[in-house]
Amino acid sequence: MQTRTEGHCDAINQTARRWLIVVVLSVLLAAILIGSLVWGSVTIPWRTIVNALWHDHTGAQEMIVWNIRFPRNLIGALVGANLAVAGAILQAVMKNPLADPGIIGVSSGAGLAGVVMLILYPAHEYWVTPIAFLGAMGAALFVYALAWKNGIRPTRIILAGVAVSAFLGSGISALLVFYGDRVQGALLWMVGGLSARSWPQLMTLYPYTALGVLLALFGAKQLNVLALGDETARSLGMPVERVRFGMMAVASLMAAAAVSIAGLIGFVGLVVPHMVRLLIGSDYRFLLPASALGGALIMVLSDTFGRVAFSPIEIPVGIIMAFFGAPFFLYLLRRNP
């Protein structure tokens, strides 16, 4: 009886600790969102920021806060949350700790579809996100089909993802060569960044983010069961392939929404879930919301660094993430045979 009571107390303490980490991540995210309004090529006083957020949007600095920095920060947070949650889901679904929307070709699928829309049909920009979702989903299914051979193995996932990503990347490059007179916007989009993003892009992104996060949280228990292995999940009555397909669709939707707004930003979905997993464990009921907060925090922090470090020159956040994310990927590759 005493052992059972001690185990119950340990479970309560562990849950409380996990919620505390979620609260801490929320506070850190709020702090960097507020701090990022101050820093930039122009340093803006706190009183001006309060005025801009509360009621006054007429002054020059107030307009910088309301029309540039504030919506850009919110977009960065949503993009980071999308990519991090998508990465956490793909790592569970594909049973590979190295899975990431960029590495396994999902972002490239969304990217190719997005570039097609931007170059060939620029007047229909509102279709970019739905078409990018179809591209991301198609790439994910293609990688899964190529990697399937009497089950899924992590090595085959990575090899198939690299091949599909290279193939789709060649399609993007071909479009840029054939339509050289229209590539300026597409090139900036391929690098990945938040420059010139404001309220219209935020209004486009947040419904997809809200839907994706909600569906991911609903699927958290299924992901926990799936982590036990396919045979165990089937013995518990779970339709494994249906759950895997559904969660892949959620991850593809979130990755496509992020890519359609911010371009090809890599490594967020790889780095953040691993960092959060070290803090909070592998229970997806906590891992997914913590990954969303962690991804938002990393993205806003990286974008702020890119704006401030070499001001007035701005480094796109995609370059920042690649610079720090690639060594982390190599570390994981060495640690996971």
Side-chain angles (χ1 to χ4, degrees):
M1 178 64 98
Q2 184 177 359
T3 303
R4 183 181 302 176
T5 302
E6 290 176 353
H8 182 65
C9 292
D10 289 341
I12 293 175
N13 291 336
Q14 188 177 34
T15 300
R17 176 180 169 275
R18 287 168 170 170
W19 280 120
L20 177 61
I21 292 173
V22 170
V23 171
V24 170
L25 288 174
S26 301
V27 172
L28 290 175
L29 175 60
I32 191 61
L33 283 171
I34 294 172
S36 184
L37 297 176
V38 178
W39 304 316
S41 56
V42 176
T43 301
I44 298 178
W46 286 106
R47 179 177 295 180
T48 303
I49 291 173
V50 172
N51 287 337
L53 296 180
W54 190 251
H55 60 84
D56 183 8
H57 308 153
T58 57
Q61 290 188 333
E62 285 82 359
M63 292 180 67
I64 290 174
V65 172
W66 183 252
N67 293 321
I68 299 177
R69 293 187 185 177
F70 186 48
R72 176 171 175 161
N73 284 352
L74 295 179
I75 291 171
L78 295 183
V79 167
N82 279 353
L83 293 175
V85 172
I89 291 173
L90 290 173
Q91 288 165 17
V93 167
M94 297 191 169
K95 298 190 290 187
N96 192 324
L98 301 178
D100 166 85
I103 294 171
I104 65 170
V106 172
S107 290
S108 295
L112 177 58
V115 168
V116 168
M117 293 300 298
L118 289 172
I119 291 180
L120 300 183
Y121 307 101
H124 302 283
E125 189 175 345
Y126 52 88
W127 281 104
V128 170
T129 300
I131 297 299
F133 165 68
L134 295 179
M137 192 64 195
L141 291 175
F142 193 31
V143 169
Y144 190 78
L146 289 175
W148 178 268
K149 187 178 180 181
N150 299 322
I152 290 291
R153 290 187 179 179
T155 303
R156 285 204 297 263
I157 286 284
I158 292 298
L159 293 177
V162 169
V164 170
S165 184
F167 176 75
L168 297 174
S170 67
I172 295 174
S173 300
L175 284 172
L176 297 182
V177 170
F178 285 119
Y179 297 92
D181 57 328
R182 310 181 192 178
V183 302
Q184 184 61 34
L187 282 175
L188 295 175
W189 185 80
M190 283 182 63
V191 173
L194 302 175
S195 178
R197 303 298 188 269
S198 190
W199 293 111
Q201 290 77 26
L202 180 64
M203 294 299 104
T204 300
L205 179 59
Y206 89 85
Y208 294 99
T209 304
L211 177 62
V213 170
L214 188 62
L215 292 174
L217 293 177
F218 274 126
K221 291 183 178 180
Q222 285 80 3
L223 291 176
N224 283 335
V225 176
L226 199 61
L228 301 175
D230 289 2
E231 293 302 322
T232 302
R234 288 192 181 95
S235 68
L236 294 173
M238 173 182 287
V240 172
E241 297 308 324
R242 190 187 308 168
V243 170
R244 183 171 278 129
F245 178 84
M247 296 311 295
M248 281 175 58
V250 173
S252 298
L253 174 66
M254 300 187 75
V259 168
S260 66
I261 297 299
L264 299 176
I265 298 175
F267 296 106
V268 178
L270 173 70
V271 172
V272 173
H274 281 284
M275 295 175 62
V276 171
R277 196 175 283 111
L278 292 175
L279 296 172
I280 213 165
S282 299
D283 187 338
Y284 281 86
R285 294 173 301 173
F286 300 95
L287 179 62
L288 292 178
S291 293
L293 292 169
L297 176 62
I298 291 293
M299 181 62 67
V300 176
L301 187 62
S302 299
D303 183 55
T304 303
F305 177 80
R307 288 193 295 109
V308 174
F310 300 97
S311 179
I313 299 174
E314 179 178 317
I315 302 176
V317 68
I319 296 176
I320 302 293
M321 289 308 307
F323 183 81
F324 291 105
F328 190 82
F329 172 75
L330 294 176
Y331 162 74
L332 291 176
L333 193 63
R334 293 284 297 175
R335 196 185 69 174
N336 295 278

